[in-house]
C-alpha cells in the first residue's frame, strides 16, 4: 500500500498549516541561525512518521527531516528578493521530488483510513493553503494594486473564497456533477460583475480572471487525479 498520500499530507501540513508567518520571517532574516528552521524540519519528519504509523519508518522520517533542511537551507542562502518567487516553486518541487523518491523506495500499510481516503485528504489539503500560496505567488507579478492600496474587503477574504471554490470544484469532479462547475462560475461572475463594472479597470479584470482560471484549473486537475488513482 502506498505511503505517498500520507507523506504529502505531512508536507502540506508542515509547510502551510503548522508554520507560523513569524517563523518564515525569522528564517529569512536569520537564515541558518534561526532555530525555527531546525524545529520546522524536525516537525516534517515527525509528521511523516506519525501519519505513516509504522515504527520502522523512523529512519525514513529522519531522512525526510534532513533532506527538508538541506532544501530549505539552500533556499535561504541563495534566494534574493528578485528570485524569491522562483525559489518558492523550486523549493516545493524539490520537496515533492524527495517524497516521490521515498515513496518508490518504501511501502508500508496504512491504518484506520483506506488508500482512497488518504489520497482524498492529501488532495483536499493541497487545494487549501498550498494552492492559495502557489496561485498568489504565480499571479503576484500582475497585481494591479500598490502596497498601500486599501479597500473595504474583509481580511484574507480572497484566500478563503479561493479555497471554498476549489473544494467545490473538486467535489463536483469527483462526484461527476460537472454542471455544478458551470453554476459556480456563473455565480462568481454575477457577484464580481458589480466590482469590475465599478472599477472600470481592465488590469483588475484580467488579474481576477487569471486567478480564477488558475484556481478552477488546479481543482479540476486534482479531481481528475483522484479519479485516476483511486483503487
Amino acid at each position: 500500500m502506498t505511503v505517498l498520500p500520507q507523506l504529502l499530507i505531512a508536507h502540506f501540513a508542515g509547510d502551510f498549516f503548522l508554520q507560523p508567518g513569524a517563523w518564515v520571517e525569522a528564517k529569512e532574516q536569520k537564515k541558518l541561525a534561526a532555530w525555527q528552521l531546525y524545529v520546522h524540519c524536525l516537525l516534517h519528519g515527525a509528521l511523516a512518521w506519525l501519519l505513516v504509523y509504522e515504527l520502522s519508518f523512523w529512519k525514513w522520517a529522519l531522512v525526510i527531516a534532513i533532506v527538508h533542511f538541506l532544501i530549505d537551507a539552500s533556499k535561504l542562502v541563495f534566494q534574493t528578493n528578485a528570485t524569491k518567487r522562483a525559489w518558492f516553486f523550486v523549493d516545493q518541487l524539490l520537496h515533492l521530488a524527495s517524497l516521490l523518491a521515498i515513496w518508490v523506495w518504501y511501502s508500508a500499510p496504512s491504518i484506520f483510513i483506506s488508500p482512497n481516503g488518504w489520497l482524498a485528504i492529501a488532495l483536499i489539503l493541497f487545494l487549501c493553503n498550498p494552492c492559495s500560496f502557489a496561485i498568489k505567488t504565480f499571479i503576484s507579478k500582475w497585481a494591479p494594486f500598490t502596497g498601500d492600496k486599501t479597500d473595504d474587503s474583509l481580511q484574507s477574504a480572497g484566500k478563503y473564497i479561493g479555497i471554498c471554490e476549489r473544494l467545490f470544484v473538486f467535489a463536483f469532479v469527483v462526484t461527476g456533477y460537472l454542471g455544478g462547475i458551470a453554476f459556480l462560475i456563473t455565480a462568481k461572475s454575477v457577484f464580481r460583475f458589480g466590482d469590475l463594472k465599478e472599477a472600470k479597470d481592465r488590469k483588475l479584470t484580467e488579474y481576477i480572471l487569471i486567478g480564477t482560471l488558475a484556481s478552477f484549473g488546479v481543482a479540476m486537475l486534482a479531481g481528475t487525479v483522484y479519479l485516476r488513482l483511486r483503487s
Side-chain angles (χ1 to χ4, degrees), residues 72-94:
D72 276 15
S74 299
K75 173 187 174 184
L76 293 174
V77 170
F78 295 111
Q79 80 171 1
T80 63
N81 289 333
T83 61
K84 192 171 183 179
R85 182 186 297 110
W87 264 106
F88 169 80
F89 291 105
V90 171
D91 172 78
Q92 291 302 312
L93 287 174
L94 290 175

Side-chain angles (χ1 to χ4, degrees), residues 136-150:
K136 180 180 178 181
T137 302
F138 173 65
I139 67 176
S140 61
K141 66 178 180 179
W142 296 301
F145 314 113
T146 58
D148 47 347
K149 171 76 176 179
T150 58

